[in-house]
């Protein structure tokens, strides 16, 4: 029985790419985002360089204050960047919820796969959602869809981290990225 | 740097190093990335094998945890002989990408198991 499972896998791949496409359209492509990102990168490099060159003189009150001011500025910009991303993620989240409810109604009450294990108590509520009978090895659409999405989305985020973010900024953005 | 993409010189390196014993990993993130992707491939492969055999129940799940963690541990400790402490200890390396790998494993396991051993009639007895 391949058709339903492969269809669900296909749906989650398409929605994951759709989500990434939407993120690109609403976030990465925008001028504001590009500007903020290059600003953060520039400040990161500047700060690193200053920390290296100041070395021993960091003990001096003046240098220390200057460094602190720059760090504060960088933090503000990073926060703005995360906030900008978060707003778009919220919009994307709403689109995804709508899509999920459509697919949910299509597969409602349908056993899409047979689980090779019996899920533990609280997971049975998802894996056996809206299914007839008491055979808990029956798998509902939502369970398989969540698993597919967990796997595909997380990997696409990992790839994005590697290829979109430069090494100087990815440590700073990492925290904000985990949210989406 | 400065563009939207990472420098190709720093991203194309990895694949030659992956299969070279005791490679030098100056960038910690680079090695963690390798561990992450190896684990994803391993998850899918194990799911495929488990579904074909088929392995079921707690035995299948337990064997996955042991095989996945064991093979990755052997890879970084024996094959590359990395200093675990540099990466925050063996636990950090062992759990890198574990949940995603587990999700990938479950998806493959369920799809192959259902596809190979059940028919439409087995799944829809109420229709």
């Amino acid at each position: 029985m391949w058709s339903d499972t492969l269809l669900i896998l296909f749906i989650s791949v398409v929605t994951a790419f759709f989500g990434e496409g939407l993120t690109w359209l609403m976030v990465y492509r925008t001028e504001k985002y590009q500007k903020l990102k290059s600003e953060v990168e520039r400040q990161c490099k500047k700060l690193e360089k200053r920390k290296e060159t100041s070395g021993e003189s960091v003990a001096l009150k003046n240098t220390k204050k200057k460094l602190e001011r720059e760090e504060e500025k960088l933090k503000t910009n990073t926060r703005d960047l995360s906030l900008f991303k978060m707003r778009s993620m919220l919009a994307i989240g709403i689109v995804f919820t709508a899509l999920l409810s459509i697919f949910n109604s299509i597969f409602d009450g349908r056993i899409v796969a047979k689980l090779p294990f019996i899920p533990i108590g609280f997971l049975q509520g998802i894996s056996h959602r809206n299914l007839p009978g008491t055979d808990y090895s029956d798998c509902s659409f939502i369970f398989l869809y969540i698993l597919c999405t967990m796997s595909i989305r997380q990997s696409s985020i990992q790839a994005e981290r590697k290829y979109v973010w430069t090494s100087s900024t990815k440590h700073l953005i990492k925290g904000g990225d985990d949210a989406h | 740097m400065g563009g939207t993409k990472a420098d190709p010189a720093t991203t194309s390196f990895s694949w030659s190093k992956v299969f070279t014993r005791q490679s030098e990993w100056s960038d910690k993130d680079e090695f963690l990335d390798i561990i992450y992707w190896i684990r994803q491939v391993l998850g899918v492969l194990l799911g495929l094998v488990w579904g074909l055999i088929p392995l079921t129940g707690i035995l299948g799940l337990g064997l996955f945890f042991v095989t996945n963690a064991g093979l990755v541990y052997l890879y970084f400790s024996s094959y590359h002989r990395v200093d675990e402490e540099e990466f925050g200890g063996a636990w950090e390396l062992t759990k890198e990408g574990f949940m995603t790998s587990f999700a990938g494993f479950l998806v493959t396991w369920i799809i192959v198991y259902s596809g190979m051993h059940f028919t439409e009639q087995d799944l829809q007895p109420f229709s």
Side-chain angles (χ1 to χ4, degrees):
Chain A
M1 230 306 267
W2 297 95
S3 55
D4 282 349
T5 47
L6 292 179
L7 179 64
I8 293 167
L9 183 65
F10 177 74
I11 288 172
S12 39
V13 170
V14 170
T15 47
F17 276 100
F18 177 64
E20 288 307 306
L22 265 182
T23 314
W24 182 78
L25 263 174
M26 294 176 72
V27 183
Y28 301 138
R29 198 186 64 124
T30 58
E31 204 175 309
K32 189 180 173 190
Y33 173 81
Q34 294 285 346
K35 220 166 140 185
L36 268 171
K37 188 172 161 272
S38 55
E39 181 71 12
V40 168
E41 277 179 4
R42 196 183 56 80
Q43 281 176 338
C44 262
K45 274 184 207 160
K46 201 172 151 191
L47 199 68
E48 256 171 50
K49 214 173 173 185
R50 190 157 283 186
K51 269 184 182 168
E52 271 169 29
T53 50
S54 56
E56 286 151 26
S57 61
V58 84
L60 292 170
K61 214 175 174 183
N62 232 358
T63 324
K64 210 175 170 183
K65 243 184 183 171
K66 235 179 194 175
L67 271 176
E68 274 175 6
R69 233 189 350 252
E70 292 214 2
E71 268 176 9
E72 199 53 47
K73 213 170 147 188
L74 180 64
K75 267 185 202 164
T76 315
N77 274 334
T78 312
R79 203 180 46 225
D80 285 350
L81 197 65
S82 304
L83 213 75
F84 181 68
K85 275 190 81 178
M86 212 148 74
R87 256 180 273 160
S88 313
M89 293 307 158
L90 206 74
I92 292 164
I94 293 167
V95 175
F96 267 75
T97 314
L99 276 176
L100 187 65
S101 67
I102 293 170
F103 293 131
N104 226 345
S105 61
I106 293 171
F107 288 96
D108 193 38
R110 192 171 165 80
I111 302 163
V112 296
K114 206 77 177 165
L115 296 173
F117 56 92
I118 305 287
I120 48 170
F122 71 97
L123 283 178
Q124 286 174 3
I126 308 171
S127 71
H128 204 71
R129 199 182 182 90
N130 290 344
L131 294 185
T134 50
D135 183 355
Y136 288 105
S137 65
D138 290 341
C139 178
S140 67
F141 159 79
I142 195 76
F143 187 67
L144 192 58
Y145 180 78
I146 289 172
L147 284 177
C148 289
T149 308
M150 259 175 77
S151 165
I152 297 162
R153 284 281 288 163
Q154 196 52 45
S155 291
S156 75
I157 289 169
Q158 184 80 9
E160 177 193 312
R161 224 176 247 163
K162 185 157 180 63
Y163 294 105
V164 175
W165 298 107
T166 59
S167 57
S168 58
T169 51
K170 67 180 168 188
H171 299 290
L172 279 163
I173 315 298
K174 222 171 183 173
D177 243 23
D178 287 335
H180 84 264
Chain B
M1 303 263 229
T4 51
K5 292 196 171 163
D7 184 355
T10 61
T11 54
S12 57
F13 54 71
S14 309
W15 296 111
S16 58
K17 280 185 177 180
V18 174
F19 302 108
T20 313
R21 282 183 84 98
Q22 297 175 34
S23 300
E24 281 287 316
W25 301 94
S26 48
D27 183 2
K28 285 175 200 163
D29 279 352
E30 184 188 330
F31 188 62
L32 287 176
D33 274 345
I34 296 298
I35 294 285
Y36 178 89
W37 290 112
I38 282 179
R39 186 154 257 157
Q40 305 319 307
V41 174
L42 194 62
V44 172
L45 285 180
L46 291 180
L48 199 72
V49 177
W50 270 219
L52 285 172
I53 294 176
L55 278 174
T56 56
I58 200 86
L59 177 74
L61 287 168
L63 268 178
F64 165 76
F65 290 129
V66 172
T67 316
N68 190 307
L71 285 179
V72 172
Y73 182 78
L74 282 177
Y75 179 74
F76 68 74
S77 66
S78 298
Y79 195 76
H80 281 299
R81 291 180 192 276
V82 295
D83 180 7
E84 294 152 11
E85 291 314 312
E86 272 184 41
F87 298 89
W91 176 242
E92 281 301 316
L93 283 167
T94 309
K95 74 180 173 72
E96 176 70 19
F98 194 88
M99 278 318 284
T100 322
S101 168
F102 184 48
F105 161 74
L106 285 180
V107 169
T108 325
W109 192 21
I110 293 168
I111 291 178
V112 176
Y113 176 73
S114 302
M116 294 298 291
H117 309 287
F118 294 91
T119 60
E120 174 81 32
Q121 282 72 36
D122 295 328
L123 293 188
Q124 311 300 340
F126 301 97
S127 61

